[in-house]
């Protein structure tokens, strides 16, 4: 039975600070790879807002989004579109020494030179580079990261980075699998030069 008891989402119009070029999405209903769900950016960077607006009411993901496709296209304020071809996708996590997202950027024509600049603002470094040995929370990007250790030193630090409105557990405790999804998504957004 999938863990559907918790949701950190507000409604499908709440802006979210996390955007990227393309990424393989994991179905938050089951935490298994959603083979056909791939996201692509609509070239809009959503800036985080930490105004004193009241938080939207808490709801389960399955009460907000009927499908994984609907979640992909609405959770991040129209920043992503559903794409069935996974070869056009970045991955939020990888185990190899080489970041597979670099090749994806080249294949999609999004990278015409070297990955020597971090394109996103806010908490990102100006240029990607190595991080210290204690850089473990977002380990895949340790050798070439757009995030600094201080930004992603722990899941707690990432959760709090954009203010209370974006705490992924603001509606209550998450399952370990659900929390890991949000950590992986935050690492991808904060650390990957392709984001």
């Amino acid at each position: 039975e999938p863990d559907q008891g918790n949701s950190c989402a507000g409604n499908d119009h709440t802006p979210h600070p996390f955007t990227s070029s393309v990424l393989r999405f994991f179905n938050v209903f089951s935490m298994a790879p959603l083979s056909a769900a791939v996201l692509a950016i609509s070239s809009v960077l959503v800036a985080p807002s930490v105004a004193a607006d009241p938080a939207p009411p808490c709801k389960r993901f399955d009460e907000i989004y009927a499908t994984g496709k609907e979640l992909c296209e609405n959770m991040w304020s129209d920043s992503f579109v559903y794409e069935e071809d996974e070869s056009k996708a970045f991955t939020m996590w990888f185990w190899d020494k080489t970041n597979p997202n670099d090749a994806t950027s080249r294949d999609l024509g999004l990278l015409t030179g070297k990955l020597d600049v971090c394109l996103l603002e806010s908490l990102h470094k100006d240029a990607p580079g190595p991080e210290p040995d204690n850089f473990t929370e977002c380990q895949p990007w340790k050798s070439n990261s757009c995030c600094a250790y201080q930004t992603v030193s722990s899941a707690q630090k990432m959760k709090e980075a954009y203010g209370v409105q974006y705490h992924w557990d603001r509606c209550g405790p998450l399952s370990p699998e659900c929390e890991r999804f949000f950590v992986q998504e935050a690492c991808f957004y904060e650390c990957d030069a392709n984001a």
Side-chain angles (χ1 to χ4, degrees):
E1 177 73 29
D3 178 11
Q4 297 177 345
N6 300 302
S7 169
C8 344
N11 60 45
D12 59 349
H13 302 294
T14 303
H16 192 283
F18 304 153
T19 58
S20 67
S21 298
V22 185
L23 92 121
R24 178 179 302 154
F25 192 80
F26 289 82
N27 181 341
V28 295
F29 299 109
S30 68
M31 292 289 108
L34 184 61
S35 63
V38 180
L39 309 172
I41 192 166
S42 64
S43 72
V44 176
L45 178 61
V46 179
S49 170
V50 289
D53 294 336
C58 294
K59 293 182 180 180
R60 293 169 22 155
F61 280 144
D62 63 344
E63 294 173 8
I64 302 168
Y65 309 109
T67 65
K69 179 181 189 272
E70 189 177 312
L71 181 147
C72 294
E73 293 184 346
N74 293 290
M75 183 181 222
W76 292 280
S77 300
D78 301 321
S79 295
F80 302 102
V81 295
Y82 186 84
E83 169 62 60
E84 292 187 17
D85 184 352
E86 287 191 25
S87 70
K88 297 178 181 176
F90 290 144
T91 183
M92 290 193 322
W93 203 259
F94 58 94
W95 301 105
D96 300 330
K97 284 185 137 184
T98 304
N99 183 342
N101 297 331
D102 298 348
T104 302
S105 285
R106 281 195 241 340
D107 292 348
L108 293 175
L110 301 173
L111 179 63
T112 56
K114 297 187 312 185
L115 283 168
D116 57 359
V117 66
C118 298
L119 301 174
L120 299 175
E121 296 177 10
S122 194
L123 304 175
H124 301 86
K125 300 187 304 190
D126 292 333
E131 288 298 316
D133 288 340
N134 60 348
F135 187 86
T136 56
E137 193 68 50
C138 297
Q139 175 277 327
W141 292 274
K142 180 183 176 299
S143 65
N144 194 43
S145 177
C146 280
C147 60
Y149 168 74
Q150 299 87 331
T151 306
V152 297
S153 60
S154 68
Q156 186 74 18
K157 186 88 168 177
M158 287 184 276
K159 178 181 80 172
E160 295 173 352
Y162 291 95
V164 175
Q165 183 177 356
Y166 296 106
H167 285 193
W168 52 64
D169 63 350
R170 69 173 182 78
C171 294
L174 301 177
S175 67
E177 296 84 4
C178 188
E179 177 135 9
R180 194 75 214 147
F181 165 81
F182 283 102
V183 168
Q184 288 178 349
E185 192 271 345
C187 287
F188 172 77
Y189 173 76
E190 298 296 342
C191 302
D192 202 301
N194 297 286

